[in-house]
Amino acid sequence: LPARRTMSVGAPKGLASSGQKPITEITHPLSAADEPLSPGVTLCPQDAGLTNGTPVETSSPASVSSLFNRLQLDDELDGDTSSETKDLFVTVDDPKKHVSTMETYITYRVSTKTTRIEFDLPEYSVRRRYQDFDWLRIKLDDSQPTHLVPPLPEKFVMKGVVDRFSEEFVETRMKALDKFLKRVADHPVLSFNPHFNAFLTAKDLNKRQGLALLTKVGESVKYVASGYKLRARPAEYTAMVEYLDTFSGKLGTMDRIAQRILKEQSEYLTELREYGSVYSSWAALEEELQRPLEGVAGSVSTCCRAMEDLSENMSQDFLPVLREYVLYIESMKNVLRKRDQCQAEYEGRLEAAILRRQEDRTPVPAEVEKCQDKVECFNADLKADWERWQRNKRQDFKQLLTGMADKNISYYEKCQSAWESLITVLQDKQTEDKTSETN
Amino acid sequence: MMADSGSEDAAVIGNTDISSAEAENNLRNTMVEKGTSLLKKLEITVSEAEKRTGKNSVNMQETYTVYLIETRPADSGSEAGTPVPDMLWRRYSDFELLRTYLLVTYPYVIIPPLPEKRAEFVWHKLSADNLDPDFVERRRVGLENFLLRVASHPLLSNDKIFFLFLTDEKGWRDAVLETGFQDKVDSRLKSLSASFRVKNPDKRFTALKQYSDELNAVISQLLRVRARVADRLYGVYKVHGNYGRVFSEWSAIEKEMGDGLQSAGHHMDTYAASIDDILEEEEHYADQLKEYLYYTEAVRSVCRKHELLQYEVEMAAQDLAYKKQQREELVTGTVRVFSLKGMTSKLFGQESQEQREQRLAALEQGIQEGEELLKDKNHECQEFVQSAWKDIERFKEQKDRDLREALISYAIMQISMCKKGVQVWSNAKECFNKM
């Protein structure tokens, strides 16, 4: 599905250059179709790799297999919107590295297809970097405090061992960003947020970011300063918090187990490789047994490759999803805290107003009632989001765990077939020998 | 009829369902089929092991294990009922004594090895304790194997002492000592450790010794690495058991997902537990490799024995040549080789004719004896070469057959392990799907 390019608004800008202009003013190379590239800004050519020289996903149109995967993912997420027709489809793909004198960073293509009237065009294709996603998340968080905003993958790499530009890292991050946007797009309220619209459609997102930071500070100050203490949290919300805490703990445990398994598998692999090579050394000494021994070495080698695939899958597909859910849980807890704050504020104001009324008959001000409305809205939104979150969680983990089972099954099947084909070779020779003996 | 894409052929795959125990039985059957006259008459098993305590040679209490050897007529079952087997108990040191006797008595035969004296190549779950029941069990199998190997050897199976070992509990020791084999033990040990240089080594034996040394090294390495692989694989499986616990805990806080998670957790526990049996079975394979590891020592000792004989031939020839040289000098009066006698006679005058004739006669005798000795030694060496090489060819065929079987049974074990893995994870997947 090749995305249509966004139309240029106004006169095309001059040749982009780096070094002389600040980075915020340099247009993304793909945002204006016919501009030749300046010598300063390097765009990776179609087949170029990233730092380590490995090829990046093919550029537009997206490769068939990744497209297929995305379509499958969309089917899975349909659980939520199956009753409604989905009218907004968002995809993240096509990572590209950009090198300038100031910095090096990766951009991703964000493609949108929609029939919503809130959008001017039915299709969009823009390029965004991680900063832009972060901006979106902050804006959503601020403007929709009663709703759960999905988490983003971590901004900074934790262990410091992973190369920010390695194919695996970029691939993993891209999948997480894709998931993020899809979750927003599937949310009945968040998806209509104007910031989301801007993110999907605007050419120059960069100009707005400076303002966003100021706004963020202002709003969070507002919440902290309210300072009301909550009297009694309704049991259902306490239950939610407890569930989230326990669930988070279990996810942490699973993360540790998975890492331990990876470690053991890696050490097993090291020994297994040597094991296979000893059979080869032995084969060199033998005549009759040479072929069987080489056969064993070959089967062991196949098993090694199968184990490599399994481990790679665990670290690239399994662990990141676990970690992302821990972040998701934190987001949900944040929303619950905000709800608590909202309720506390209402209770505080109400109490003050009642005291005043008792003193001098001043009626309860209208804004206190507005607070009550706020609390009720918040509760309603939160309950809806909680249900959605639970549904998504069930789907996601079902998918994650069946995926893990599938990979393990595939590993054993590969090994089994390697040994079965060896037996055929070994037993063939035996039959040969027996028939020649009886002759 | 083997299909080209072998894995499609049901007949071939059917064979992969046999267990490694059955594969070992095949080995036994092969030995019986090829059949020596002894095996045709007698069925031999080492059926049990028991702990005993008693005083040893330095009068200290010790605990040791005895093994029950049972023999019964081979074609039993057709007559009235099963005849009662003869049985007697032997301990490991008895087997060692028997083997030493065979080594000394048949130096040109590659004598089958005994199972290891102490547990070697262990990985962490395996006990290095000689009294550990698993070790004892594997040793029992190894001892039975040893007896069957000897019983299936064309020469060794006819040995009287071997027969007495199997049938005469009390009298065997005296009989074996009476053979006087112990005198030869010392000289054999000397020959194995001595360093001497053979001038014209037999190329075939040199090649064989080199092969044997290389095989020894490679099998040792294989066993060491295999033990490490087993250790690591154990770790991988056992850590998965933790999933069992965490799924169970997690299922407690879930509503719809709870059942699926809980049952998946059980499968993870099953998976983690399955490695114990898998690795125990693999020990059989390790034992098969070990047998041939120890066989290389027997091969080496045959080569060394040959070297010694060859050396003795060369020494005898050298000695004879020297004596002949001396005679020539005496006869012709020329001194070619420096000798003290020659020098002294030059300095102090010639010896008398009588003395000369005495010396000549002595030399002639020495030469005659030397020629006899050389003939004997040559004959001995040639006979040795002939017998040894016959046994070596037999051994090579046996080795190729046995190791091929061992590799097949190893592959079968791996397939079985993979099938279990597929099964467990498929079960878990079903549970996840119900989440």
Side-chain angles (χ1 to χ4, degrees), chain B residues 40-171:
Chain B
K40 287 192 166 75
K41 285 189 300 179
L42 216 57
E43 206 183 278
I44 306 168
T45 48
V46 176
S47 51
E48 276 169 44
E50 249 180 40
K51 275 216 214 13
R52 297 271 166 88
T53 40
K55 293 259 165 94
N56 64 8
S57 48
V58 290
N59 215 31
M60 289 183 60
Q61 260 318 74
E62 65 166 1
T63 312
Y64 56 91
T65 314
V66 286
Y67 301 87
L68 185 65
I69 303 180
E70 289 187 315
T71 47
R72 71 189 77 180
D75 45 18
S76 57
S78 50
E79 295 121 44
T82 356
V84 178
D86 278 338
M87 42 180 123
L88 44 77
W89 295 95
R90 297 264 186 241
R91 53 186 292 191
Y92 188 82
S93 50
D94 294 331
F95 282 84
E96 283 184 302
L97 187 59
L98 172 66
R99 187 162 189 271
T100 310
Y101 160 78
L102 291 172
L103 277 171
V104 161
T105 316
Y106 303 89
Y108 47 90
V109 169
I110 298 171
I111 307 290
L114 286 171
E116 53 193 355
K117 200 172 170 77
R118 263 164 285 279
E120 272 184 282
F121 306 110
V122 289
W123 54 285
H124 86 274
K125 270 295 276 184
L126 223 53
S127 171
D129 176 17
N130 280 5
L131 294 172
D132 178 78
D134 285 333
F135 179 77
V136 167
E137 171 57 20
R138 296 210 331 276
R139 183 181 258 193
R140 180 194 68 74
V141 172
L143 290 174
E144 185 178 285
N145 200 50
F146 167 75
L147 292 179
L148 287 174
R149 290 272 191 215
V150 175
S152 62
H153 191 282
L155 285 169
L156 302 177
S157 57
N158 295 323
D159 187 279
K160 182 122 188 298
I161 298 292
F162 176 60
F163 187 76
L164 289 176
F165 181 86
L166 295 174
T167 52
D168 187 351
E169 182 149 26
K170 302 261 174 356

Side-chain angles (χ1 to χ4, degrees), chain A residues 156-167:
Chain A
F156 300 107
V157 181
M158 281 184 287
K159 304 274 177 172
V161 196
V162 179
D163 177 11
R164 261 197 313 142
F165 300 107
S166 76
E167 193 185 337

Side-chain angles (χ1 to χ4, degrees), chain B residues 113-383:
Chain B
L114 286 171
E116 53 193 355
K117 200 172 170 77
R118 263 164 285 279
E120 272 184 282
F121 306 110
V122 289
W123 54 285
H124 86 274
K125 270 295 276 184
L126 223 53
S127 171
D129 176 17
N130 280 5
L131 294 172
D132 178 78
D134 285 333
F135 179 77
V136 167
E137 171 57 20
R138 296 210 331 276
R139 183 181 258 193
R140 180 194 68 74
V141 172
L143 290 174
E144 185 178 285
N145 200 50
F146 167 75
L147 292 179
L148 287 174
R149 290 272 191 215
V150 175
S152 62
H153 191 282
L155 285 169
L156 302 177
S157 57
N158 295 323
D159 187 279
K160 182 122 188 298
I161 298 292
F162 176 60
F163 187 76
L164 289 176
F165 181 86
L166 295 174
T167 52
D168 187 351
E169 182 149 26
K170 302 261 174 356
W172 170 73
R173 253 191 189 255
D174 291 333
V176 80
L177 292 174
E178 264 170 44
T179 60
F181 79 100
Q182 280 173 318
D183 304 331
K184 298 194 211 160
V185 170
D186 287 332
S187 86
R188 181 193 130 82
L189 283 175
K190 229 184 275 172
S191 80
L192 284 181
S193 55
S195 49
F196 44 79
R197 274 261 303 273
V198 172
K199 293 209 187 88
N200 283 320
D202 185 321
K203 284 200 175 61
R204 287 186 305 172
F205 278 98
T206 313
L208 180 65
K209 186 150 86 107
Q210 185 179 358
Y211 165 75
S212 165
D213 289 344
E214 285 172 347
L215 186 64
N216 184 298
V218 89
I219 295 184
S220 299
Q221 193 186 3
L222 191 64
L223 286 166
R224 264 196 309 275
V225 181
R226 193 208 71 91
R228 294 204 301 262
V229 170
D231 240 338
R232 293 291 165 212
L233 191 62
Y234 184 80
V236 172
Y237 271 73
K238 287 300 178 192
V239 178
H240 277 86
N242 293 326
Y243 275 142
R245 200 175 52 238
V246 80
F247 285 167
S248 178
E249 291 167 3
W250 179 9
S251 72
I253 59 171
E254 296 289 343
K255 287 175 246 149
E256 306 125 328
M257 284 166 65
D259 287 336
L261 271 176
Q262 176 90 320
S263 10
H266 289 318
H267 291 301
M268 288 295 101
D269 289 330
T270 306
Y271 179 70
S274 68
I275 192 65
D276 295 302
D277 284 344
I278 288 169
L279 287 176
E280 199 189 295
E281 229 196 300
E282 254 194 47
E283 285 306 314
H284 287 297
Y285 174 67
D287 286 338
Q288 286 175 295
L289 291 179
K290 277 182 207 171
E291 190 192 15
Y292 275 91
L293 179 69
Y294 304 138
Y295 252 129
T296 59
E297 284 160 16
V299 172
R300 177 170 231 273
S301 105
V302 169
C303 294
R304 288 289 285 175
K305 176 69 184 181
H306 169 261
E307 253 179 271
L308 182 63
L309 285 179
Q310 177 86 340
Y311 180 72
E312 286 173 0
V313 166
E314 285 179 1
M315 284 297 106
Q318 201 179 321
D319 191 63
L320 182 65
Y322 178 65
K323 287 198 173 103
K324 284 186 175 171
Q325 182 108 53
Q326 282 190 303
R327 178 184 61 180
E328 198 197 310
E329 285 169 19
L330 212 53
V331 161
T332 57
T334 53
V335 179
R336 222 154 290 181
V337 178
F338 176 82
S339 76
L340 196 57
K341 191 75 190 224
M343 280 311 294
T344 50
S345 52
K346 274 222 154 146
L347 289 171
F348 299 111
Q350 297 275 0
E351 53 188 346
S352 68
Q353 183 69 5
E354 210 186 302
Q355 283 176 315
R356 224 169 128 254
E357 276 175 10
Q358 264 185 348
R359 271 217 299 146
L360 200 57
L363 267 178
E364 286 290 354
Q365 171 127 26
I367 287 171
Q368 209 178 18
E369 285 169 0
E371 275 174 344
E372 280 295 315
L373 182 66
L374 182 60
K375 209 169 87 176
D376 286 341
K377 283 288 169 192
N378 250 325
H379 183 74
E380 194 185 344
C381 193
Q382 276 165 12
E383 287 228 324

Side-chain angles (χ1 to χ4, degrees), chain A residues 243 267 279 286 406 412, chain B residues 211 232 254 271 285 429:
Chain A
Y243 170 85
E267 290 174 354
Y279 278 104
E286 299 285 344
D406 271 334
Y412 279 112
Chain B
Y211 165 75
R232 293 291 165 212
E254 296 289 343
Y271 179 70
Y285 174 67
K429 182 178 171 183

